[in-house]
Amino acid sequence: QGAELAMRELETKGLPLLSIDFQDDQNIAKNAVGIMNSFCTIKRYPVVIGAAGSSVSMAIAPLANQYRVVQISPLSSSEELSVKGDDYFFRVCPADDQQAKILAKWVLERTYPKIAVIYTNNSWGHGLAESFKKIYSDEIAVYEGTREGETDFRTLLTKIKGEGCKAIISPTYPKEGGILVKQARELGINCDLFGADNWGAPEFIEIAGEAANGCFFISQYSYNGPEFQHLNEEYKKITGKDADVFVAYGYDTVYAISQAFKTSQANKGADIRAALLNVTFQGASGYIAFASNGDLKTEAFEKKIILNGKSQVYKKGKE
């Protein structure tokens, strides 16, 4: 939706961007590889936006590099992509290594005698969990990965309850995280629950229901300047809802590509890649500028808590 809104604005301004061909990979790597092959070899697009999931972005990055097609993700945050994404991978969201540091220090500050870590076992979840574990110096009594799409965490949660863990740290997607949190509360587990940035998604709160209240998570810094206010106003006209940082990422991705098109010598992947490295602007999600490896030069996260079904900036003592 954010990308489509940016497209409409660019059309009214007459700025150079043709169209977007939306294809749903369903967050499945095999699907994405098929789509990417078509984009690179048949349709010969110079730029591909995506994927959302880091493991899916990892799967299509070799094709982007093989065919010299710019791959720019609004959402894939795994720190592995900083290296394995190679020359043609860019992203408009910050990488997870900074997120893991803030999360580990936050949990350490709260001095739990023992904790559990449950993570989605893919490049994103495992990478974030491993980065957390490197920094976290107190006892981790349970450290286990679960498959993408897991719907039953009860056996693992019973184990955690038996260990007497006082906090669960869970880099899981909104759907899995929402189920985990709901099942934890149903089992009478009253420990603190910490998630990663995507626990701020509406899907997490919808699935977890009342159990979402009191959950902690790390979120990308929510820029609230005039660029975001403009996006939010236009987004509300279309959807009736407030925009969030994920909408802003999609929006800024299209504007970044548009700027690169304006300054590239030709609409070819190699030229657009070179142009993207010089793109700078104040976006709706924050300041956009890319490092040589395609990561954002600026990385910003903040602590958040869910209260009364809404996420808000965490303030110590206000749980």
Side-chain angles (χ1 to χ4, degrees):
Q1 290 173 326
E4 286 182 308
L5 178 54
M7 276 293 304
R8 282 193 287 271
E9 289 184 355
L10 288 166
E11 286 169 6
T12 62
K13 296 174 183 177
L15 294 175
L17 195 64
L18 301 176
S19 61
I20 300 179
D21 179 354
F22 286 99
Q23 298 290 333
D24 183 9
D25 61 32
Q26 298 178 307
N27 203 36
I28 297 171
K30 183 179 178 181
N31 294 355
V33 168
I35 294 167
M36 190 68 170
N37 262 313
S38 172
F39 282 175
C40 294
T41 64
I42 299 173
K43 298 181 178 180
R44 296 179 182 248
Y45 296 140
V47 179
V48 173
I49 296 173
S54 292
S55 59
V56 181
S57 281
M58 197 84 74
I60 62 176
L63 290 169
N65 284 278
Q66 178 183 347
Y67 293 104
R68 296 187 179 185
V69 169
V70 169
Q71 174 191 356
I72 180 165
S73 174
L75 296 174
S76 294
S77 57
S78 169
E79 62 181 287
E80 282 188 90
L81 283 162
S82 300
V83 176
K84 294 182 179 178
D86 218 338
D87 290 344
Y88 281 81
F89 178 77
F90 290 78
R91 54 179 153 200
V92 178
C93 61
D96 283 331
D97 51 349
Q98 184 73 9
Q99 178 178 182
K101 290 175 189 175
I102 295 171
L103 180 58
K105 289 178 181 178
W106 189 12
V107 177
L108 281 168
E109 285 170 5
R110 296 176 68 86
T111 60
Y112 300 106
K114 61 172 71 172
I115 67 165
V117 177
I118 304 174
Y119 59 90
T120 298
N121 197 8
N122 60 17
S123 62
W124 170 76
H126 182 249
L128 188 48
E130 284 292 293
S131 295
F132 175 90
K133 188 168 70 168
K134 287 176 187 175
I135 300 165
Y136 190 77
S137 54
D138 288 349
E139 183 181 355
I140 300 177
V142 178
Y143 185 84
E144 291 196 24
T146 60
R147 67 179 179 88
E148 285 187 50
E150 182 61 70
T151 58
D152 189 354
F153 296 91
R154 293 179 183 87
T155 300
L156 183 51
L157 287 167
T158 300
K159 178 181 177 181
I160 290 168
K161 186 176 183 180
E163 289 284 348
C165 297
K166 299 303 180 184
I168 297 173
I169 287 72
S170 186
T172 43
Y173 290 138
K175 183 177 180 180
E176 291 94 321
I179 294 169
L180 181 147
V181 165
K182 188 174 183 180
Q183 290 177 355
R185 296 310 189 213
E186 287 171 350
L187 289 170
I189 298 173
N190 296 315
C191 68
D192 288 343
L193 299 166
F194 290 82
D197 54 314
N198 48 26
W199 276 24
E203 186 182 14
F204 171 82
I205 296 173
E206 181 182 336
I207 291 170
E210 289 293 324
N213 290 319
C215 287
F216 305 106
F217 67 100
I218 298 295
S219 173
Q220 288 89 352
Y221 171 71
S222 298
Y223 174 68
N224 201 37
E227 295 79 8
F228 179 80
Q229 293 303 323
H230 164 75
L231 165 63
N232 193 43
E233 183 180 333
E234 296 303 312
Y235 185 76
K236 264 186 172 179
K237 290 177 185 175
I238 299 167
T239 67
K241 299 177 182 178
D242 286 319
D244 58 20
V245 71
F246 303 112
V247 175
Y249 286 150
Y251 181 85
D252 286 344
T253 298
V254 170
Y255 268 96
I257 295 167
S258 176
Q259 283 208 14
F261 274 144
K262 283 166 61 180
T263 58
S264 63
Q265 294 181 352
N267 285 344
K268 294 182 179 179
D271 299 298
I272 295 165
R273 177 190 177 276
L276 269 173
L277 291 171
N278 294 309
V279 162
T280 58
F281 67 98
Q282 181 61 57
S285 64
Y287 188 71
I288 305 298
F290 299 104
S292 59
N293 66 351
D295 282 352
L296 279 183
K297 286 183 178 178
T298 54
E299 296 184 347
F301 289 93
E302 58 189 354
K303 304 171 186 175
K304 287 199 170 180
I305 185 172
I306 297 171
L307 295 173
N308 300 317
K310 294 184 178 180
S311 62
Q312 53 189 269
V313 176
Y314 169 78
K315 295 180 180 178
K316 192 172 181 179
K318 298 290 184 181
E319 296 96 308

